[in-house]
Amino acid sequence: MHKILVIGGGAAGMMAAISAKKHGGDVILLERNKRVGKKILATGNGRCNYTNINLSIDNYHGKNPKFVYSPLSQFNVYDTIDFFEKLGISPFIEENGRVYPMSLQSSSILDVLRFELEYLGIEVVTEAFVIDIHKGDKFLITLEDGRKFKADRVILATGGKAAPNTGSDGNGYRLAEKLG
């Protein structure tokens, strides 16, 4: 069984931790805030549009928009809807294709993710700001407060730079660069 550390307790990090655990990993989720999922509560004006049935490669821009072919072929819109249905979320689909929880409350999404983490026995470490990551025989992760974690695998799910007040301040870019 591999020891897997997931850095970042947003939607992607929680989903990655759940998937890694279901695939046999011994998983720890590290989140820099006091609680996981802070940004989820603001998503979709508090309603959490968690996917869109009109998702296509045409929605992606940048230097290499074709990069999304592989991830979307491995976990598409219907896989996302199915993932949340298995956790108890019934989808509400608007005319424009946005998919929300039937409750129209982002807290529904956060609650089922948190419940699943707990149900699966995934250790969640909050107030865990990662300042260093080093790859040797294993990964060595150092937190700002001096705590250290070792892992066989690391999933970096820290978000971008879009919402510094929620923790998405670009720190993940620095960590990724450190690993080359």
Side-chain angles (χ1 to χ4, degrees):
M1 182 183 321
H2 290 296
K3 175 74 134 203
I4 301 169
L5 277 175
V6 179
I7 302 173
M14 287 187 278
M15 289 179 71
I18 290 166
S19 180
K21 182 69 173 192
K22 287 183 174 181
H23 283 89
D26 177 16
V27 181
I28 297 175
L29 176 63
L30 302 177
E31 167 55 41
R32 75 188 285 177
N33 291 309
K34 290 182 181 183
R35 290 187 62 188
V36 294
K38 185 175 181 180
K39 198 161 59 172
I40 291 172
L41 296 176
T43 306
N45 292 321
R47 298 187 304 156
C48 193
N49 54 306
Y50 61 93
T51 192
N52 191 306
I53 60 169
N54 298 321
L55 188 64
S56 108
I57 185 75
D58 299 329
N59 301 121
Y60 293 87
H61 308 285
K63 293 179 183 172
N64 184 17
K66 291 183 180 181
F67 125 88
V68 297
Y69 277 128
S70 178
L72 290 180
S73 69
Q74 293 176 46
F75 197 83
N76 64 37
V77 171
Y78 301 103
D79 294 324
T80 303
I81 292 170
D82 184 58
F83 175 88
F84 283 103
E85 281 185 322
K86 286 178 179 170
L87 295 180
I89 297 292
S90 295
F92 173 77
I93 303 171
E94 286 189 343
E95 286 181 26
N96 61 13
R98 288 187 187 122
V99 182
Y100 297 92
M102 189 63 74
S103 68
L104 296 177
Q105 294 182 7
S106 57
S107 59
S108 298
I109 295 290
L110 179 54
D111 287 347
V112 297
L113 289 170
R114 288 178 52 226
F115 291 147
E116 189 70 359
L117 291 170
E118 185 177 338
Y119 173 75
L120 294 172
I122 296 170
E123 182 180 353
V124 176
V125 180
T126 57
E127 299 183 279
F129 181 56
V130 177
I131 59 166
D132 192 39
I133 185 168
H134 177 75
K135 172 76 168 104
D137 289 347
K138 293 186 179 274
F139 288 92
L140 178 63
I141 290 86
T142 305
L143 304 185
E144 186 176 50
D145 63 10
R147 287 179 288 172
K148 295 183 186 297
F149 293 85
K150 285 188 177 180
D152 301 300
R153 306 277 190 271
V154 170
I155 299 172
L156 194 57
T158 58
K161 295 181 180 183
N165 61 322
T166 64
S168 295
D169 64 359
N171 185 53
Y173 295 134
R174 188 182 58 74
L175 296 172
E177 286 174 354
K178 194 162 183 73
L179 294 172

